[in-house]
Amino acid sequence: LPYRSSCRPDRNGISLSASSLLPPNLTVPRGKSPLVAREGDTVELECLVSGKPKPIILWSRADKEVPMPDGGAQTESYDGVLRVVNVTRDMTGTYRCQTSQYNGFNVKAREALVELIVQCEYPA
């Protein structure tokens, strides 16, 4: 059967059929964890996100005691990418990407983990 999305009127106007909605899903691209970088590099931690509506992704450290590189507890991403400029060794660790609490569905937030390893910059 071909994919069909239909709208049907109801008392409030238009309602979307279930076929136009997809629950959120998160995956880490192959080869993107662990991600190894040198001090001073710019890195992009990446989670692939799918779903309709596409959820906002929240990035945080897996160890909640350690702040994000910007000093906050978490960072929002609309494309699933966390870009970190001028990485340092104290940024080494596990990062969690997860769907925001409100993700268009009454489902538990999805999450995935990305490992970042920052090595010393050696003099040339």
Side-chain angles (χ1 to χ4, degrees):
L1 289 170
Y3 173 81
R4 287 174 38 166
S5 176
S6 61
C7 292
R8 58 183 183 275
D10 66 9
R11 288 187 303 244
N12 300 322
I14 300 291
S15 71
L16 294 174
S17 71
S19 64
S20 63
L21 301 174
L22 291 172
N25 190 41
L26 280 179
T27 56
V28 177
R30 186 182 304 271
K32 293 289 189 173
S33 183
L35 186 63
V36 179
R38 294 238 183 253
E39 280 189 300
D41 285 353
T42 294
V43 297
E44 289 188 345
L45 305 182
E46 187 177 357
C47 278
L48 299 176
V49 57
S50 63
K52 285 185 182 178
K54 194 171 184 177
I56 295 170
I57 300 303
L58 301 175
W59 283 93
S60 61
R61 297 290 291 258
D63 177 357
K64 297 219 180 265
E65 302 299 313
V66 181
M68 291 291 287
D70 66 3
Q74 65 184 21
T75 303
E76 283 188 0
S77 169
Y78 292 91
D79 60 2
V81 174
L82 175 65
R83 189 167 196 263
V84 185
V85 178
N86 197 23
V87 294
T88 59
R89 280 182 292 163
D90 61 345
M91 294 176 188
T92 291
T94 303
Y95 291 76
R96 174 183 291 115
C97 61
Q98 67 183 45
T99 55
S100 58
Q101 202 63 17
Y102 174 74
N103 51 39
F105 292 86
N106 187 21
V107 296
K108 184 180 175 193
R110 307 291 197 246
E111 69 176 44
L113 299 176
V114 179
E115 185 75 21
L116 174 63
I117 300 169
V118 181
Q119 298 176 337
C120 294
E121 182 181 15
Y122 298 108

